[in-house]
Every structure is written in C-alpha cells, then in structure tokens.
Amino acid sequence: RLEQKSNLLQNVYIKALFPNMIAILGGTINVFVDGILIGQKMGDVGIAAVNQSLAVYLILCTIGSLFAAGASAESAHAMGQRDVKRAKEYFEIAVETAFLISIVFCIAGVLLSPFLAGMLGSETTKSLIETYIRITFIGGVFKVMLYIPYYYLRLVGKMKQAASAMTFMTVLNIVLDYIFLFPLNMGIAGAAWASVAATSITCGICFYILCGKEDTFKIRFCKPKMNRLKDIFISGSPMASNNLFSTVRILVLNFIMNLAGGSSLVTVFAITNNLNEFSICVQNGIPQTGSALLGVYHGENDSQELKKLLVLQLKSGILISAVTAGVIALFSGKVGLLFGSHLDVRVAVICWAVSLIFATCNNVMNYYYYSIRQATMANLITVLRVFAVTSVVAWCLKDMGNGLWMFYPLSEIFSFNNSFIFLSISSVSL
C-alpha cells in the first residue's frame, strides 16, 4: 500500500507539472514579450524602461500573491483536515479584501505615476516609464485578482484549465503587443495596454472556470474575520516577500549596474532580468506544482509523503532547470539580438544560466516551508536569497568588469547552502 501511495504521488505530481509550468509561463511571459517587442521597436532605451518599470509590476504581484498564496495555503490545510467550510471562508475573504485594497492602491498609483517614474528611471527613460506604469496601474486590479483563481484552480486539481487560460493570455498578449506596437505605432503605451487587456480578460475566464459551475468555491459576501485575515497574511507573507524583495533587488541592482558601467550595463541587466522572468515557469513551476499537495499532507500530518514530495521536487527541478540553462547558454550569443540590442551579453547570460539550477532548488525549499506553514523560515530564506546575499555579492564584484555577472551563480550557491543548513536544523531530514 505504501508503494502504491508513493507511485500515485509521483504520477499526480508529474501529470500536473507541465500544465502548471505552462500556466505560470502565461503569467510571466507578458514582461518577456514586452521586452522583446519594445526592444525591436524602440531599442536599448525601451528595454531599460520596461525593466525599470518592473518594480511596479512586482508590487502588484506582491499584493496578489499575499492574498492568493495565503488563502490557498490555509484552504489546503483546512481541506486536509476535512473542514471544507473553513476552506471556503478563506477564499471569500481573500477575494473581497484583495479587491478593495487593489482598487485603493491602483488609484493612488495612477495619481503618483510622475513621482514614481522619477524615482525609477533616468532622464532618458522617465517619460516612457511614466506612460507604462500609469496604464499598468489602470489595469492593476485585474493583475492582483488573477492570482486568486490561479492558486485555487491548482488547489482543486484544474491545472489543465488554468494552463489553457494562461496560454490564451499569452497568445492574446503577443498578438495585441504586435498590433499596438507596429501597425498602430502606439509605442510603449501599446505594450502596456496589451498586457492590461490580456490580463483582464483572462482574469474573468479563470474566475468563471473556478466558480461558474461548481459549488466548491463561490464569490459570496463574507464578513471578514480578523483571525482568518491574520492567517492569510502570515501564510501568504513568504510569496509576497519574494515579490516585494525582488522589487527592491531590481532597484538596487540597477543602481549598481549604472555605477559600474552606465547605461550599457543597465541594458544588459535588463536583458538577463527578462530571461529570469521567463524562467519563473521553471523556478516556481516545479515547487508550485506540489505546494497544494504539501499543504494537504501537512494537514494530514503525513510526514513521510512530505519528504518524498520534497525529494521529487528537487530531482525534477535539477533536471528541468539544467536542460533549460543548457539551451539558453548554447544560444547566449543570440540573446541580445532577440531584444534588438547589439551589446555583447554572452558572459552575463551564461552566468545567469548557471545560476538557474541553484535558483530552482532554492525556490523548492522556500515553497516547502510556505506549504507547511512555517512562514518565518520561508521569509528568512527569501530575504537572504532574493535581496541580501544578491545585493552584497553584486556590490563586491562591481569593479570586476564582466566578472560582475558572477553575482548570479555565487549568490544562488550561497543561498542554496543556507537552505540546506536550515533544513538540517529543522524537523525534516532527507
């Protein structure tokens, strides 16, 4: 029976893995495609403007992931304890609260767009950033809310439907990007409107798939309970802090790149950062596939299956990320041209590719602690890896020319060692 259970676990995980990766790709490829098409249309200044605008995008992701990740983790734990009513409450509270907070935040963002653009950009990119982030804020509510049905579709086992919806968003975004940027010649505003349109339509589709036909999760008015809201904030904090500190990291690294080599290094960093966004389907796809299962097993107090699933995620993560890294490194000389840049990005791309393997393993550990509701450990790993270690290593290497790009693998390796030190002193052993 134990062998049958293990085989079932492996089959369920593998069956869900690639649909989940495709679904995540649909959510992150907007930034990647924007970077490519804007680079082809507007050159290096366009690429830099999109990268500097990414901080606003990640703040919206922070809000969405806080509520979606927190509520779905608590719902998964409740379902593991066979408490469906409590699982529904977390969903209803997340929908209401995230909607209200995102409306207030996005209105403030539209009003403050000129100020934020001045903070994020330079004289050459400030006006482009202001246009891009103002439109992003106008449609920001849909970006925040999209997280909730996506996380819950995974929880209820509808990964194929989620993947189909996110693939639709990807295709629609690419088509609209091309139409708005080239035939209509709308500039960077066209790329922003394309993302807003694709995201808002897909948000509606995902909510319909989740809530339209079945009674498990419905959008109902529910008076928020402070203890439930507190649970959501605590459980969602690791995913939210990942996005939040990713925002801070981009700001710090843009400063370091500008200090070390001016606009050319900022552009090269923008290109590698776009690759990093593209690879989120691997970095997060591997651990996100198993996070709902981990939450249920944790609710059942099934430590044996928790360990098996953790090992399975690490093995699949190493394999898939190594293949992905190898392909990207092989074509590193062509990556700059893809974004319309003639700068030599090979060293930077290869260094980033090497780091991908360790980054995926670090994310597996982070999602593991998030799924078993050890938010403090997950937040510690996140802050060290995403911001602290990366910023320190990049600063130390800033005067080493192309050696600066070694900050990618070195920071992930240091963080990888930290993750396993934390694992060895925790209650889980491999």
Side-chain angles (χ1 to χ4, degrees):
R1 287 183 180 179
L2 289 175
E3 185 177 351
Q4 288 177 345
K5 189 174 182 179
S6 295
N7 290 336
L8 178 62
L9 168 65
Q10 183 170 322
N11 291 336
V12 169
Y13 176 78
I14 292 174
K15 186 177 180 180
L17 178 57
F18 289 102
N20 188 50
M21 291 175 63
I22 292 170
I24 294 174
L25 180 61
T28 60
I29 202 170
N30 290 353
V31 177
F32 184 70
V33 172
D34 282 355
I36 292 175
L37 294 180
I38 290 172
Q40 293 292 338
K41 180 70 175 178
M42 304 177 65
D44 289 347
V45 67
I47 303 172
V50 171
N51 185 60
Q52 290 165 337
S53 302
L54 190 58
V56 167
Y57 172 85
L58 288 173
I59 290 294
L60 294 173
C61 294
T62 299
I63 299 172
S65 60
L66 174 64
F67 288 98
S72 63
E74 291 299 324
S75 292
H77 186 261
M79 292 172 73
Q81 295 181 328
R82 308 295 187 266
D83 191 346
V84 178
K85 181 181 178 182
R86 181 159 58 94
K88 291 180 180 180
E89 283 184 6
Y90 283 116
F91 171 76
E92 293 160 3
I93 291 170
V95 171
E96 290 178 11
T97 314
F99 182 70
L100 292 173
I101 289 177
S102 61
I103 286 179
V104 173
F105 183 83
C106 288
I107 290 173
V110 170
L111 297 176
L112 294 173
S113 291
F115 171 73
L116 294 173
M119 288 182 58
L120 296 171
S122 61
E123 287 300 318
T124 56
T125 61
K126 183 168 63 175
S127 62
L128 295 175
I129 293 172
E130 182 180 345
T131 300
Y132 193 85
I133 65 174
R134 181 184 292 113
I135 297 168
T136 299
F137 277 124
I138 290 173
V141 174
F142 298 103
K143 178 61 187 175
V144 171
M145 297 306 293
L146 179 59
Y147 271 84
I148 295 175
Y150 170 69
Y151 268 78
Y152 274 87
L153 284 170
R154 187 174 69 242
L155 177 60
V156 299
K158 291 186 175 182
M159 278 315 308
K160 289 185 179 180
Q161 292 92 326
S164 297
M166 301 303 275
T167 301
F168 167 78
M169 183 173 75
T170 301
V171 174
L172 181 60
N173 184 70
I174 292 172
V175 171
L176 292 178
D177 259 329
Y178 177 79
I179 293 172
F180 292 167
L181 277 168
F182 293 93
L184 298 182
N185 200 30
M186 292 172 64
I188 200 168
W193 280 120
S195 295
V196 167
T199 301
S200 59
I201 293 170
T202 306
C203 182
I205 291 172
C206 286
F207 268 111
Y208 176 77
I209 295 172
L210 179 66
C211 307
K213 296 181 180 180
E214 297 180 3
D215 195 42
T216 306
F217 294 105
K218 292 285 187 181
I219 300 177
R220 300 185 181 94
F221 175 77
C222 173
K223 184 178 180 180
K225 299 177 181 178
M226 292 308 298
N227 61 326
R228 297 279 193 259
L229 203 54
K230 180 182 177 182
D231 292 340
I232 290 173
F233 285 158
I234 292 173
S235 292
S237 62
M239 299 301 102
S241 65
N242 182 68
N243 287 313
L244 178 62
F245 282 99
S246 292
T247 304
V248 179
R249 182 176 83 159
I250 288 173
L251 298 176
V252 171
L253 290 179
N254 271 322
F255 171 77
I256 293 173
M257 299 303 159
N258 190 53
L259 193 66
S263 60
S264 60
L265 273 189
V266 172
T267 300
V268 176
F269 173 61
I271 291 172
T272 58
N273 204 46
N274 269 273
L275 288 175
N276 194 62
E277 285 299 306
F278 176 76
S279 74
I280 294 297
C281 65
V282 176
Q283 293 186 44
N284 288 0
I286 305 295
Q288 274 192 19
T289 303
S291 61
L293 278 173
L294 286 169
V296 173
Y297 287 141
H298 179 63
E300 296 175 343
N301 293 315
D302 193 339
S303 59
Q304 186 173 9
E305 294 305 302
L306 281 173
K307 295 176 187 178
K308 288 179 180 178
L309 184 52
L310 177 60
V311 172
L312 179 60
Q313 288 177 312
L314 287 170
K315 288 180 178 178
S316 57
I318 291 171
L319 175 62
I320 294 173
S321 59
V323 172
T324 304
V327 172
I328 292 175
L330 184 64
F331 293 98
S332 59
K334 306 293 184 182
V335 170
L337 297 176
L338 181 66
F339 289 88
S341 175
H342 294 283
L343 295 171
D344 187 356
V345 301
R346 286 174 296 178
V347 174
V349 170
I350 290 172
C351 287
W352 171 82
V354 172
S355 74
L356 178 60
I357 301 169
F358 298 97
T360 302
C361 292
N362 283 325
N363 275 326
V364 167
M365 299 308 304
N366 188 32
Y367 270 87
Y368 169 75
Y369 285 114
Y370 148 72
S371 300
I372 65 171
R373 304 166 80 214
Q374 291 192 19
T376 302
M377 190 70 77
N379 280 314
L380 178 60
I381 292 173
T382 296
V383 173
L384 288 175
R385 174 195 166 236
V386 173
F387 172 65
V389 174
T390 302
S391 300
V392 170
V393 173
W395 179 263
C396 292
L397 299 177
K398 70 181 186 302
D399 297 322
M400 293 186 62
N402 271 335
L404 166 63
W405 302 110
M406 284 298 295
F407 86 85
Y408 273 122
L410 287 177
S411 59
E412 294 293 352
I413 290 170
F414 290 150
S415 299
F416 182 74
N417 290 334
N418 289 338
S419 295
F420 276 87
I421 290 172
F422 295 149
L423 181 66
S424 67
I425 62 177
S426 70
S427 57
V428 179
S429 59
L430 299 181

